[in-house]
Amino acid sequence: MSQYWSSTVSRLTPYTPGEQPQHQRLIKLNTNENPYPPSPRAVEAMGRELGASLRLYPNPDSTPLKAAIARRHGLTPAHVFVGNGSDEVLAHAFCALLKHELPLLFPDISYSFYPTYCKLYDIDYRTVPLADDFSLDIDDYLGPCGGIIFPNPNAPTGRLLALDAVERLLAAQPQRVVVVDEAYIDFGGDSAISLVERYPNLLVVQTLSKSRSLAGLRVGFAVGHPALIDALERVKNSFNSYPLDRMAIVGATAAIEDEEHFDSTRRAVMASRDTLTAGLEALGFEVLPSAANFVFARHPGHDAATLAAALRSEGIIVRHFNAPRIAQFLRITVGTDAECQALLESLRARL
Ligand code: PMP
């Protein structure tokens, strides 16, 4: 019955999300969730909200959350946009800021949602291959283009682009918006949010799904010059002016304000990442340097798809991408130390 489809739907290639099995017995290391619980203050705030006012519509501007994010970064709420997960924020950024006559640039390999958004919004794009060691060279992004987007650290490789390189790119492309997708920045990188006041062409997108352990709540945000934020608000208000529900607003606000919990959780993840990396290397894996809450690793003597299937049969799920250049890699989320040890044991028995 596809004769009923619009031309937009006909050209879509929808994103294939990671598997989300809902039973608890699996060791789930496939979609980069945080193994630790969210801030207890966030959980309490949501409990209070649940007992109070779900009868009423939420604040359409998510004012308390924008204020908390702005305060944390020494900016104003006019610099902040919020949405249902950073995926939604990114979708609005593609529509509002990244569509021009010239092609949008992003790396090949990077977040596989980007081409999906380009097709949704009919945006011309060109992918730029990463170097052999999967690093990103900003010299490849200095020519005429319609805009630039990249994850930093990159996904699924985990490699970080240093902040001074991000800044050189912003300075070299003043006429174009540069979107830095910082879903994983809290696990070892310096955020480009510190550059927002100097570069009106910068939009930084972050999420509460990873370092704040709130993937299930669906909250993401963007920080940038108020003119860029206005463009996002225009698109948002053309869809649905209540982007976040009441639980998300209070839970996310409390999570952003709980600096202590944030810091201890991300430090625990980073320490486990080092242990996991050492354990994989001891088993003969080559592990890319990661600044994220996952590692990207390949074994010279073993097929990645076979290893992923073998782990799966033992109740451990990791991500395997059947794509050129990366088909020999496994992307493994950093779990608790116990989960990482179970993974290493299971691999040891296979190699
Ligand atoms: N950007 C990147 C690079 C990601 O890997 C993800 C998670 N899949 C997201 C954005 C979206 O995360 P969320 O919608 O949960 O904020």
Side-chain angles (χ1 to χ4, degrees):
M1 297 306 256
S2 54
Q3 77 266 28
Y4 297 129
W5 290 6
S6 71
S7 56
T8 300
V9 170
S10 303
R11 73 167 172 261
L12 292 182
T13 346
Y15 174 74
T16 312
E19 207 190 337
Q20 302 297 359
Q22 297 295 315
H23 50 103
Q24 302 286 330
R25 278 204 311 282
L26 291 167
I27 297 183
K28 190 171 177 306
L29 304 177
N30 66 328
T31 51
N32 302 338
E33 287 129 328
N34 197 311
Y36 301 109
S39 155
R41 286 168 55 183
V43 177
E44 279 159 31
M46 288 188 280
R48 280 195 300 276
E49 189 70 13
L50 189 59
S53 40
L54 288 187
R55 186 177 67 75
L56 301 173
Y57 281 111
N59 176 327
D61 292 319
S62 308
T63 310
L65 178 57
K66 286 184 180 172
I69 294 167
R71 249 192 326 274
R72 183 164 190 267
H73 296 286
L75 296 166
T76 72
H79 289 93
V80 182
F81 177 82
V82 300
N84 283 288
S86 56
D87 278 341
E88 185 184 74
V89 177
L90 288 167
H92 290 344
F94 274 77
C95 177
L97 300 169
L98 298 177
K99 182 169 179 164
H100 289 277
E101 313 75 60
L102 291 170
L104 171 69
L105 302 183
F106 53 86
D108 176 15
I109 301 130
S110 73
Y111 188 28
S112 46
F113 228 128
Y114 299 162
T116 296
Y117 292 136
C118 287
K119 290 189 179 133
L120 177 61
Y121 292 116
D122 201 11
I123 298 169
D124 186 17
Y125 69 95
R126 185 162 66 77
T127 55
V128 184
L130 294 173
D132 286 344
D133 63 357
F134 297 104
S135 60
L136 184 154
D137 185 348
I138 62 150
D139 289 347
D140 296 335
Y141 295 81
L142 302 183
C145 66
I148 296 164
I149 182 166
F150 57 91
N152 198 31
N154 200 1
T157 66
R159 291 210 63 149
L160 181 74
L161 182 67
L163 191 57
D164 63 334
V166 176
E167 181 164 10
R168 268 187 284 131
L169 181 58
L170 290 163
Q173 289 285 13
Q175 302 305 322
R176 289 294 174 244
V177 172
V178 177
V179 176
V180 187
D181 175 359
E182 292 189 340
Y184 303 103
I185 195 72
D186 295 326
F187 300 105
D190 291 322
S191 173
I193 291 180
S194 61
L195 303 175
V196 155
E197 282 182 300
R198 269 180 289 148
Y199 295 93
N201 57 331
L202 167 63
L203 189 79
V204 181
V205 178
Q206 291 196 0
T207 178
L208 276 74
S209 298
K210 316 292 179 182
S211 55
R212 309 269 174 180
S213 311
L214 285 170
L217 200 62
R218 312 304 303 127
V219 182
F221 61 92
V223 180
H225 189 282
L228 303 189
I229 300 302
D230 270 356
L232 296 172
E233 295 287 354
R234 277 179 171 235
V235 172
K236 180 205 97 180
N237 290 330
S238 304
F239 280 102
N240 175 350
S241 58
Y242 291 96
L244 295 194
D245 62 53
R246 299 189 79 97
M247 305 296 279
I249 294 172
V250 297
T253 305
I256 290 287
E257 287 173 341
D258 193 345
E259 209 62 51
E260 209 179 311
H261 182 86
F262 165 72
D263 217 43
S264 67
T265 309
R266 71 191 187 99
R267 279 180 200 288
V269 170
M270 289 190 281
S272 302
R273 178 181 67 210
D274 293 346
T275 316
L276 174 62
T277 303
L280 288 167
E281 285 174 348
L283 293 176
F285 279 88
E286 177 201 339
V287 186
L288 296 193
S290 171
N293 67 337
F294 56 85
V295 296
F296 205 49
R298 73 175 150 200
H299 198 288
H302 291 267
D303 175 60
T306 311
L307 285 178
L311 287 169
R312 172 83 213 209
S313 71
E314 294 182 8
I316 302 175
I317 325 182
V318 299
R319 191 86 190 257
H320 171 254
F321 298 90
N322 199 7
R325 279 187 81 186
I326 56 170
Q328 276 316 312
F329 281 84
L330 296 176
R331 192 195 66 190
I332 306 169
T333 303
V334 178
T336 60
D337 280 334
E339 289 173 330
C340 294
Q341 284 312 319
L343 169 100
L344 292 170
E345 286 305 317
S346 179
L347 285 171
R348 190 171 295 121
R350 304 268 153 199
L351 302 174

